[in-house]
């Protein structure tokens, strides 16, 4: 019986594997990756490596065993039909008779197009009859703190979110919640709404960046179409720029404020404040 993590060398997946290594023997962990080379550090520590691809269903044949606990980390290939990709893993998990399939989803309150694939995947999971845990991850601190270069260059935080507020937490926080579910008891057929303990608006975010950097930073709220233009001008594909603008529209409506406390309850610690992530990003 293993704990199996898909997308294990991605940003979130790496944190999950690290967290699992603190809780269970390495030989009970399977990291599912597309590139064996990228997982060499895990293999060296005794983690079992399985090479499989969401786009190649046959690579999942025989990968899972009865009694396994599986974390399906949602794919990031928005143009390849993520629900179909996720169903490849779901079908293999069901066929094997896994004990639990945990899935990293999006907040139930999110109506932006980004959530469509998550809702579709959740529906497929519920329909399949597998024992599940839905980890509805809110937005990550790093979605903002990893993009500080243009903020510092132009002395401005530019979003299309108006006065909307958002409850973010760090990737490490969400990973710790996944580890708690994969290694703990009583999470069968549960849905967790996960987000940071404290919501903030982008004016506050700009003020925190200013405080940490010593620069004068303002928040400029722009219309969604202008924001899309800025993102495509920076090199983002138009469909992805539209998705991000849609998320900002949802933020303006308050759809990414999470008040359940599920995240800090699962991890047993407060979530990482945005100011802490900003400071860490500026230290580089």
């Amino acid at each position: 019986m293993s704990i199996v993590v898909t997308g294990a060398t991605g940003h979130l997946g790496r944190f999950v594997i690290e967290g699992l290594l603190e809780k269970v023997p390495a030989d009970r962990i399977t990291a599912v990756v597309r590139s064996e080379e990228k997982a060499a550090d895990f293999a060296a520590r005794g983690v079992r490596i399985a090479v499989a691809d969401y786009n190649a269903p046959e690579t999942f044949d025989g990968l899972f065993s009865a009694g396994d606990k599986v974390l399906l980390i949602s794919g990031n290939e928005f143009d390849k039909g993520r629900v179909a990709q996720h169903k490849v893993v779901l079908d293999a998990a069901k066929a094997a008779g896994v004990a639990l399939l945990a899935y990293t989803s999006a907040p139930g309150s999110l109506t932006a197009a980004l959530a469509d694939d998550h809702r579709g995947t959740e529906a497929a999971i519920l329909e399949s009859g597998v024992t599940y845990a839905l980890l509805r991850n809110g937005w990550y601190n790093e979605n903002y703190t990893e993009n500080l270069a243009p903020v510092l260059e132009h002395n401005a935080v530019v979003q299309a979110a108006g006065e909307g507020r958002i409850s973010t937490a760090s990737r490490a926080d969400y990973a710790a919640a996944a580890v708690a579910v994969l290694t703990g008891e009583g999470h069968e057929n549960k849905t967790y709404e996960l987000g940071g303990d404290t919501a903030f608006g982008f004016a506050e975010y700009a003020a925190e960046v200013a405080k940490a950097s010593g620069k004068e930073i303002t928040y400029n709220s722009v219309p969604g179409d202008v924001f899309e233009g800025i993102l495509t001008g920076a090199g983002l594909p138009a469909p992805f720029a539209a998705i991000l603008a849609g998320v900002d529209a949802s933020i303006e409506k308050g759809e990414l404020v999470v008040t359940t406390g599920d995240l800090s309850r699962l991890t047993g610690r407060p979530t990482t404040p945005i100011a802490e992530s900003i400071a860490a990003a500026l230290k580089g």
Side-chain angles (χ1 to χ4, degrees):
M1 190 176 79
S2 282
I3 295 175
V4 187
V5 179
T6 71
T9 52
H11 289 307
L12 183 66
R14 283 197 162 273
F15 277 116
V16 173
I17 298 289
E18 290 293 347
L20 288 172
L21 282 166
E22 292 175 14
K23 296 270 187 93
V24 296
D27 61 6
R28 278 194 52 212
I29 305 167
T30 299
V32 181
V33 299
R34 284 193 291 196
S35 159
E36 205 161 354
E37 293 76 19
K38 283 187 183 170
D41 56 329
F42 290 150
R45 292 161 73 184
V47 174
R48 180 175 164 242
I49 308 301
V51 179
D53 189 321
Y54 295 161
N55 301 303
E58 69 280 0
T59 60
F60 280 90
D61 289 348
L63 198 153
F64 304 127
S65 302
D68 283 353
K69 289 185 176 180
V70 178
L71 176 65
L72 167 54
I73 294 181
S74 55
N76 59 5
E77 295 175 309
F78 295 94
D79 57 336
K80 291 198 176 166
R82 291 197 298 168
V83 177
Q85 288 182 328
H86 298 157
K87 280 179 87 168
V88 166
V89 181
L90 171 60
D91 291 346
K94 183 180 179 179
V98 302
L100 183 74
L101 176 71
Y103 171 65
T104 61
S105 192
S109 52
L110 185 65
T111 62
L114 176 76
D116 293 348
D117 289 347
H118 292 300
R119 297 292 94 85
T121 302
E122 287 187 6
I125 289 170
L126 295 178
E127 198 179 302
S128 74
V130 300
T131 302
Y132 66 86
L134 300 180
L135 306 175
R136 290 179 168 170
N137 288 357
W139 225 221
Y140 300 155
N141 289 352
E142 289 87 350
N143 289 346
Y144 302 110
T145 61
E146 285 177 356
N147 295 299
L148 283 175
V151 171
L152 298 172
E153 185 187 340
H154 300 292
N155 296 324
V157 170
V158 181
Q159 300 286 152
E163 301 299 307
R165 299 174 74 72
I166 183 168
S167 311
T168 65
S170 70
R171 280 199 192 101
D173 293 335
Y174 292 110
V179 169
V181 166
L182 293 167
T183 58
E185 300 297 328
H187 302 293
E188 292 80 9
N189 302 328
K190 294 278 177 67
T191 299
Y192 296 106
E193 298 285 350
L194 305 174
D197 295 334
T198 308
F200 60 87
F202 286 104
E204 291 163 82
Y205 175 70
E208 287 292 352
V209 176
K211 191 166 145 190
S213 65
K215 300 186 76 169
E216 203 167 300
I217 309 286
T218 56
Y219 168 44
N220 294 340
S221 181
V222 298
D225 56 343
V226 174
F227 188 52
E228 281 186 55
I230 291 168
L231 295 175
T232 52
L236 258 65
F240 190 52
I243 283 172
L244 292 180
V247 168
D248 269 19
S250 283
I251 292 171
E252 185 165 22
K253 290 184 243 170
E255 293 177 5
L256 276 172
V257 173
V258 179
T259 57
T260 59
D262 283 352
L263 183 51
S264 51
R265 218 170 7 255
L266 278 173
T267 61
R269 64 172 195 244
T271 60
T272 306
I274 190 67
E276 197 175 303
S277 292
I278 291 168
L282 289 174
K283 276 183 194 155

